[in-house]
Structure formats: structure tokens, C-alpha cells
């Protein structure tokens, strides 16, 4: 891309522990690896970052990993000394520090300022995507950039080789065996059904676990560390003590935090993926296995409007009976409803959901990936500046 647009600063305030930094870290790595961009990722919580990227040294204010310069963002940061990038991205509702904004406004050639928003399937997103927002306090414009599920948005994060790597992994029995052993599962072939369960707590979780204790199906349920894992360890002290528990034909196993690339493999390796928030649901799309999304909870059930908007878009081409059963369970999972009856209906459609998800993945891929779409937007803006300045 244009040399004048090759230096990017991405700001990430870690709000929900891992989703925000997970997205920013994937984006930063992809921009560096695939676009040759010099990225500085400013993060205010290196301890949370370390959970998903063990190479991060929480005691260093500056370090380089995977071609990305990682900077600690704190009250002591000397913004004057750090310098200003050509492209500035404030990610997921964080705010660029005011001293940095003031330095941006003082530049002869103003940086391009982007507000990378949260993911939404709501119809209004397309109308706001890529629009400028003049700032009242400084002579700067900020542009809204929305990830999304249509060509009228910025698309979703997806590395160029992700689907190829997933297919290679699924075709390599030795690689799968090594992966499962790494997770402490030596007899992975014993299980006819493997479920990843990354979720917030749910008051009716035991009714769902009861569904996974069918006498003729051995089920492995892998629960990454988090709110639901904590709930299950309270319900089952043996799970907390040993990290694993067998209930009839169901084996529960708590997983420690894993690097992002390993989590991606988990989604490809399992038959059903329960995901939460934003980062993990995007990865579930690319695995194309049946997935259940638990959207980030908001006050007064406001998140259900966003969930309904996504389900309407996601299920638009799905057979009506499949869509009805899937949506019934998704709504139960995102409220405090009883789960057994709706899961039985949804699980009867898993094969059709898996087939549909491969079609859905192809449709999303056609929209382009978020990193490339960001770069194209930046290039266009810098070319316009050059031509009209």
C-alpha cells in the first residue's frame, strides 16, 4: 500500500477480559503478516493479553511478537515521545487518549482516524459504515468502520489461509491426535460427539448436560476457562478438583486458556461449538460446524434485539423447520429458559445445520475479510487526499 499509510497504531482497552484483545491481536497480526504494515498495538492490560498469547511479557512496556510492536498503554505513557502513526484505530468502544488526539490535530498531514466498531447484524449498520464524524473539540474527522455480514460492511476477520489450514488439520490424523493429546485427551476416538462449550453461566445448564448423557453416545464436552467453567466447578466439586468428570456417558473437561491458533483448531475438531461474545463466534463461522452463539449480555435484555437481527440474517436461506428449531434453542440459551426440550429439537437438525454452515461460510468469505477491507479503505482515503490536497 502507499508508503504514507504503512504505520498504524491500534488502541485496545481490555473491557471483557479477552474478546477485545482477541480481536485486536488477530487484526494486528494479520495486518503485519499479510499487508506488510508496521503495527503498534497499544494495550492497557497485558495480563489478560498473556492468557491468549503466552509470549507476552507482562513486565515489558514494549515488545515485538509476530511482527507486531506491543505497547503498554498507561497513565505514564509519554505520547510525545512515542510519535503519531499515519493510521489510528480505536477499537471496540475505547477512546484514543486525549494527549494523543491533540498531537494528531497538530500534524501537518493529519492521521486517518478509524473507529472500529463492535460486530452487529442490525440493518442500520450498512448506512453508518465508513461515514465520517467531525470531532467538535479538534480539527479531525473520525470514520466509523463496522464489521458485518454483508458486502455493505467491513466483513469479518479471516486470515487468507485459515480455511486451508483447517482443512489440512482435519485431513491429518496425526496432527489431530497430537492436538487432542496436548489437551490431555488420549482416547479422543472413543467419543462419538465432541462439544466445545465456551459460554457465560446459565441457570439451566444441568438440563442441557442431561441431554448429553444418551446411553448410546459417548460425549466429550470441553469447557474453556471462564464464567461457565466456574459455574460447573461449583456444581461439581470433583470437576474443580480433577479438571475432569464423568457423568454416565458424558465426560466434562475444563481447558486452561489456550493460544488463539489452538482455539481455532478446537473449533474445527469439535462437532458442535458453543461460543460467546464476538471473537469466538467469528471463528466458529470459519469452522463451519454447528455453533450456538451466546451474545454479550446487556441491561434490559437489549442484546436480544441484536441476537434477533443476526438470526434473521443468518437463517434467511435456511430451511424453515431447521431455522425454527435452531432459533428456539438460541433464544433459550440467551435467556434463563429451560433447555432440554429446545435442544432435543435443535440437535435433530445438526446435520442440516452443518451443511448450511458451509454455504454460509462461502457467502461470508465473498464479502472479503476485515483486515483487507480496512486497508482498501485507507488506501482510497490517502489517494483522495493526494489528489485533492
Amino acid at each position: 500500500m502507499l508508503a504514507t499509510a504503512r504505520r498504524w497504531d491500534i488502541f485496545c482497552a481490555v473491557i471483557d477480559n479477552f474478546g477485545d484483545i482477541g480481536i485486536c491481536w488477530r487484526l494486528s497480526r494479520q495486518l503485519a503478516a499479510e499487508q506488510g504494515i508496521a503495527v503498534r498495538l497499544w494495550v492497557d492490560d497485558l495480563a489478560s493479553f498473556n492468557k491468549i498469547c503466552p509470549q507476552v511479557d507482562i513486565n515489558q512496556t514494549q515488545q515485538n511478537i509476530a511482527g507486531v510492536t506491543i505497547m503498554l498503554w498507561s497513565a505514564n505513557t509519554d505520547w510525545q515521545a512515542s510519535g503519531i502513526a499515519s493510521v489510528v484505530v480505536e477499537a471496540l468502544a475505547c477512546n484514543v487518549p486525549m494527549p494523543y488526539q491533540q498531537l494528531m490535530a497538530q500534524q501537518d498531514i493529519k492521521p486517518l482516524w478509524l473507529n472500529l466498531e463492535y460486530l452487529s447484524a442490525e440493518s442500520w449498520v450498512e448506512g453508518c459504515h465508513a461515514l465520517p464524524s467531525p470531532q467538535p473539540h479538534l480539527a479531525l474527522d473520525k470514520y466509523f468502520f463496522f464489521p458485518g455480514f454483508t458486502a455493505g460492511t467491513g466483513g469479518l476477520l479471516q486470515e487468507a489461509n485459515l480455511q486451508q489450514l483447517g482443512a489440512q488439520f482435519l485431513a491429518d490424523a496425526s496432527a489431530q491426535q497430537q492436538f487432542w493429546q496436548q489437551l490431555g485427551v488420549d482416547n479422543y476416538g472413543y467419543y462419538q460427539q465432541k462439544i466445545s462449550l465456551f459460554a457465560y453461566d446459565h441457570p439451566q445448564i444441568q438440563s442441557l448436560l442431561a441431554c448429553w448423557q444418551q446411553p448410546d453416545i459417548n460425549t466429550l464436552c470441553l469447557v474453556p476457562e471462564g464464567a461457565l467453567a466456574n459455574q460447573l466447578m461449583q456444581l461439581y466439586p470433583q470437576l474443580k478438583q480433577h479438571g475432569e468428570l464423568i457423568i454416565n456417558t458424558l465426560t466434562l473437561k475444563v481447558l486452561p486458556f489456550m493460544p488463539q491458533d489452538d482455539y481455532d483448531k478446537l473449533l474445527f475438531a469439535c462437532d458442535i461449538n458453543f461460543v460467546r461474545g464476538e471473537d469466538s463466534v467469528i471463528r466458529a463461522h470459519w469452522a463451519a460446524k454447528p455453533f450456538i452463539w451466546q451474545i454479550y449480555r446487556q441491561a434490559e435484555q437489549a442484546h436480544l434485539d441484536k441476537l434477533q437481527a443476526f438470526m434473521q440474517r443468518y437463517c434467511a436461506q435456511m430451511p424453515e423447520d431447521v431455522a425454527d428449531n435452531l432459533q428456539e434453542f438460541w433464544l433459550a440459551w440467551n435467556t434463563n429458559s429451560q433447555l432440554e426440550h429446545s435442544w432435543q429439537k435443535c440437535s435433530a437438525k445438526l446435520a442440516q445445520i452443518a451443511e448450511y454452515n458451509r454455504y454460509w461460510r462461502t457467502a461470508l468469505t465473498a464479502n472479503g475479510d476485515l483486515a483487507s477491507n480496512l486497508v482498501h479503505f485507507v488506501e482510497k482515503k490517502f489517494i483522495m487526499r493526494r489528489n485533492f490536497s
Side-chain angles (χ1 to χ4, degrees), residues 364-381:
L364 292 178
T365 300
N367 296 329
D369 68 274
L370 179 67
S372 296
N373 290 338
L374 269 169
V375 168
H376 295 156
F377 178 79
V378 169
E379 286 180 331
K380 180 179 177 181
K381 290 299 177 184

Side-chain angles (χ1 to χ4, degrees), residues 116-273:
L116 180 61
E117 287 283 355
Y118 283 109
L119 177 64
S120 176
E122 293 170 291
S123 58
W124 61 266
V125 165
E126 290 183 315
C128 296
H129 176 63
L131 289 183
S133 173
Q135 300 301 291
H137 59 292
L138 293 169
L140 294 168
D141 285 339
K142 177 165 59 175
Y143 290 86
F144 294 104
F145 206 90
F146 282 85
F149 304 95
T150 68
T153 67
L156 302 175
L157 277 173
Q158 180 181 199
E159 298 80 6
N161 63 350
L162 177 63
Q163 293 184 38
Q164 179 184 357
L165 290 176
Q168 290 173 350
F169 173 68
L170 292 177
D172 188 337
S174 176
Q176 290 186 65
Q177 181 179 12
Q178 181 179 358
F179 173 72
W180 285 114
Q181 289 177 343
Q182 177 184 324
L183 298 184
V185 181
D186 295 324
N187 59 337
Y188 72 98
Y190 169 76
Y191 300 100
Q192 291 92 9
Q193 181 172 252
K194 304 179 188 69
I195 301 170
S196 74
L197 183 59
F198 183 45
Y200 306 108
D201 56 285
H202 196 291
Q204 305 295 333
I205 185 61
Q206 288 177 295
S207 69
L208 183 61
L209 298 183
C211 296
W212 297 342
Q213 298 173 38
Q214 301 176 47
D216 55 341
I217 299 178
N218 295 314
T219 297
L220 174 64
C221 179
L222 299 148
V223 189
E225 281 186 30
L228 186 63
N230 293 337
Q231 180 189 8
L232 291 176
M233 287 188 289
Q234 289 182 342
L235 291 170
Y236 305 106
Q238 186 179 346
L239 183 62
K240 182 176 183 179
Q241 184 177 358
H242 302 290
E244 186 170 319
L245 174 66
I246 298 175
I247 311 173
N248 300 318
T249 56
L250 170 65
T251 299
L252 289 174
K253 185 175 181 63
V254 174
L255 297 179
F257 284 100
M258 56 181 65
Q260 287 182 323
D261 292 345
D262 286 343
Y263 182 71
D264 291 344
K265 289 181 181 178
L266 179 69
L267 297 179
F268 276 101
C270 286
D271 304 298
I272 306 165
N273 293 310

Side-chain angles (χ1 to χ4, degrees), residues 311 314-316 318-332 341-343 345-347 349 353:
M311 290 193 301
Y314 168 52
C315 298
M318 190 178 285
E320 185 175 355
D321 59 330
V322 179
D324 288 345
N325 290 356
L326 181 143
Q327 292 184 52
E328 182 180 343
F329 181 74
W330 277 41
L331 285 172
H341 181 64
S342 58
W343 174 253
K345 293 198 292 183
C346 181
S347 62
K349 305 293 185 181
I353 294 171

